[in-house]
Amino acid sequence: MPEFRALLRGYHRFRHDRYEAERRRWASLATGQAPPVMIIGCCDSRVDPATIFDTEPGQAFILRNIANLVPPFELGGGLHGVSSALEFAVAKLQVRHIVVMGHGACGGVAAALDGHGEPDRIFIDRWISLLDPALERVRASGVPDQHHALELEGVKTSLANLRTFPFVREREDAGELKLHGCHFAIAEGQLWELDEASGSFHLVDETEAV
Ligand SMILES: [Zn+2]
C-alpha cells in the first residue's frame, strides 16, 4: 500500500518539522478552538481550503461535501451532517464569516448536468438534486459553458439555503455574521469572489493586503 505509506511519510514530516516548531501552538489549541471563519467546500482532492487560503490549524472550521452544497433548513428526514456542522459553527463557535467555495472542473456539478439515474449513484443523485433549481436557471440562460455557470449558481444556491437557517439569518441581520461566495479556478490557482449585489464573480486582487 504505497499510497498509505506516503501518508505516513507526510505524518513523519509533520511530527519532525512542523509539530516540533509549533509545540506551544498545539498545546494551546488543545485547550479549545475559536475559529473566526467557517469554510464550506467540495470534497474534491484538488481544492483543499487550508491550502488555498493558507490557514493555520484553529483558524477555519471546514466542512466539505460533494459540490459544496448546503441543503435548506428542515427538521425531518435523514441525518443532518451539514446542518449539525453549521449549527455548531454558528451557534456554538460563533464564527464571524461563512465562505462557500465552489471550484472549476467540479465532478458533482458535472453529475448534475449529466442528469440522474446512474445505477452506481445510490446517494449522489439525491444530494445533487439540490442543484436542480440552479440547473433550470442555467439551462434557461443558454450560456455556452453550462458547467462553469452551474458551479457559480451552486455557490449562490448554498448561500440562499444558508439563509433559511434561523440562527444564520438572525446573526447576519444583526451584523454578527457575514456570508461570502467564492469560486476557485484550479489550473490558474485563482480565486473569484461573488458580488451578491450584481450576482457576478470578480477575480480577487492578488496584491491586495486584506
Ligand atoms: Zn467539486
Side-chain angles (χ1 to χ4, degrees):
M1 299 279 273
E3 298 87 355
F4 185 64
R5 288 226 180 87
L7 286 186
L8 292 183
R9 281 199 297 277
Y11 168 66
H12 290 145
R13 288 194 297 276
F14 162 74
R15 282 290 298 169
H16 294 298
D17 302 337
R18 189 163 181 181
Y19 178 77
E20 275 305 316
E22 299 177 347
R23 269 176 182 271
R24 266 200 210 133
R25 178 205 292 270
W26 288 96
S28 166
L29 285 171
T31 64
Q33 64 167 331
V37 177
M38 179 182 195
I39 301 172
I40 299 171
C42 182
C43 293
D44 192 303
S45 62
R46 301 164 293 181
V47 292
D48 173 20
T51 302
I52 294 164
F53 293 105
D54 194 22
T55 56
E56 301 291 343
Q59 194 179 348
F61 190 81
I62 297 176
L63 172 71
R64 299 176 72 176
N65 62 41
I66 298 288
N68 41 270
L69 291 170
V70 175
F73 176 85
E74 57 109 6
L75 297 173
L79 300 165
H80 300 286
V82 173
S83 306
S84 298
L86 197 54
E87 182 179 65
F88 189 74
V90 175
K92 173 75 175 167
L93 297 175
Q94 302 195 336
V95 296
R96 294 189 290 279
H97 301 266
I98 300 177
V99 180
V100 176
M101 183 177 69
H103 71 97
C106 182
V109 168
L113 276 168
D114 289 347
H116 306 318
E118 293 277 334
D120 60 338
R121 294 208 303 243
I122 301 170
F123 299 108
I124 294 173
D125 279 356
R126 180 144 182 261
W127 177 248
I128 57 174
S129 70
L130 287 166
L131 283 172
D132 283 352
L135 181 59
E136 275 180 36
R137 287 198 296 277
V138 167
R139 289 232 160 98
S141 74
V143 291
D145 190 345
Q146 301 227 324
H147 190 169
H148 181 66
L150 189 54
E151 288 167 356
L152 303 183
E153 281 300 311
V155 171
K156 295 178 191 175
T157 297
S158 286
L159 289 174
N161 287 346
L162 277 172
R163 293 185 171 111
T164 65
F165 287 79
F167 48 82
V168 170
R169 187 94 217 184
E170 283 160 18
R171 290 186 68 81
E172 187 184 33
D173 288 347
E176 295 164 347
L177 175 66
K178 187 156 173 44
L179 307 187
H180 309 263
C182 291
H183 181 273
F184 180 72
I186 294 176
E188 297 80 5
Q190 288 179 323
L191 190 72
W192 296 70
E193 184 179 3
L194 172 64
D195 171 21
E196 286 200 90
S198 68
S200 55
F201 284 73
H202 303 278
L203 188 59
V204 173
D205 184 352
E206 291 164 27
T207 60
E208 193 176 327
V210 180

